[in-house]
Amino acid sequence: MQNLVLFGFMGTGKSLISKKMTKILLFERIDMDSVIEEREHKTISEIFAQDGEAYFRQLEHELVKELAQRQDLIISTGGGVVLNRDNVTAFAKTGVCICLNTSPEIIYERVKTNSNRPLLMTENPLQTIKQLLESRKEYYAQVPYQLVTDNKDPEDICAEIMEIYNNHVSFALEE
Ligand code: S3P
């Protein structure tokens, strides 16, 4: 079966929703950041600090190419994976790609206590979130399916994802 690939800014709920979706679709779950951390034996913050963001983006791109060749996966991507348009194109060939959209204020509430997001280690993280969201708007818009998560229960979000997934897969079979 086609992969389910979740995109979206940091703190939009990709990890939580992908865990819940695993129980519904019974696919293996892959968290891209975790795979990169395991392979590098470093946290994301350490990779950014010691090797630089460009190196991280390269690792991310290599992993996208690898995962896009597999099937039956639920993939939780890193929030910046969209910055390389080839990543979205590769995932869309073998997977149903859905972008989770959440307002900056809710994102801020979720991420403010977490220190493993180097891009948000600024004096004013809420402002940084707003700026990054604005500058990445068109990149997230490249993801084929869009879903707004504000004020929705995770269960309802999963139900919407399932509907998108099933429609996509049955449409692909008809073609
Ligand atoms: C990033 C998002 C992070 C992680 C890295 C860069 C980004 O993933 O890949 O810190 O550029 O938006 P999450 O979206 O899982 O926090």
Side-chain angles (χ1 to χ4, degrees), residues 8-10 14 48 53 56-57 60 78-83 85 99 101 119-120 128-143:
F9 196 77
M10 296 170 259
K14 291 164 296 190
F48 268 68
E53 180 173 347
F56 172 77
R57 298 295 173 207
E60 201 173 38
V81 80
V82 291
L83 297 172
R85 288 169 200 264
C99 184
N101 295 281
L119 294 178
L120 301 182
T128 308
I129 290 167
K130 287 182 179 167
Q131 284 166 349
L132 279 174
L133 275 172
E134 182 58 32
S135 66
R136 291 180 176 183
K137 212 163 55 183
E138 60 189 83
Y139 293 97
Y140 289 117
Q142 300 270 312
V143 181

Side-chain angles (χ1 to χ4, degrees), residues 16 19 32 62 89 94 103 122 132 142 148 154 159:
L16 175 78
K19 281 182 193 151
M32 289 188 58
E62 294 304 322
T89 311
T94 51
S103 65
T122 61
L132 279 174
Q142 300 270 312
V148 175

Side-chain angles (χ1 to χ4, degrees), residues 30-165:
I30 307 255
D31 180 293
M32 289 188 58
D33 283 349
S34 302
V35 173
I36 291 172
E37 287 185 327
E38 274 164 32
R39 290 184 180 175
E40 294 292 298
H41 305 290
K42 287 179 190 175
T43 64
I44 298 294
S45 292
E46 285 166 349
I47 299 171
F48 268 68
Q50 295 167 17
D51 310 296
E53 180 173 347
Y55 177 72
F56 172 77
R57 298 295 173 207
Q58 195 186 321
L59 295 175
E60 201 173 38
H61 181 57
E62 294 304 322
L63 184 57
V64 169
K65 287 193 282 184
E66 181 186 319
L67 296 175
Q69 291 184 22
R70 295 177 55 189
Q71 287 192 319
D72 302 335
L73 298 176
I74 296 181
I75 302 164
S76 177
T77 64
V81 80
V82 291
L83 297 172
N84 182 340
R85 288 169 200 264
D86 292 344
N87 289 342
V88 181
T89 311
F91 271 144
K93 283 195 180 131
T94 51
V96 182
C97 296
I98 304 178
C99 184
L100 305 182
N101 295 281
T102 306
S103 65
E105 289 75 17
I106 297 177
I107 290 174
Y108 173 65
E109 284 306 315
R110 288 184 187 155
V111 302
K112 67 180 179 189
T113 52
N114 188 316
S115 60
N116 198 22
R117 290 199 168 95
L119 294 178
L120 301 182
M121 294 291 111
T122 61
E123 273 191 19
N124 187 340
L126 178 58
Q127 194 187 332
T128 308
I129 290 167
K130 287 182 179 167
Q131 284 166 349
L132 279 174
L133 275 172
E134 182 58 32
S135 66
R136 291 180 176 183
K137 212 163 55 183
E138 60 189 83
Y139 293 97
Y140 289 117
Q142 300 270 312
V143 181
Y145 295 101
Q146 300 287 326
L147 206 152
V148 175
T149 68
D150 286 6
N151 305 317
K152 286 183 192 162
D153 287 338
E155 281 65 32
D156 293 335
I157 296 170
C158 289
E160 282 188 54
I161 289 176
M162 224 26 238
E163 199 179 330
I164 294 171
Y165 185 88

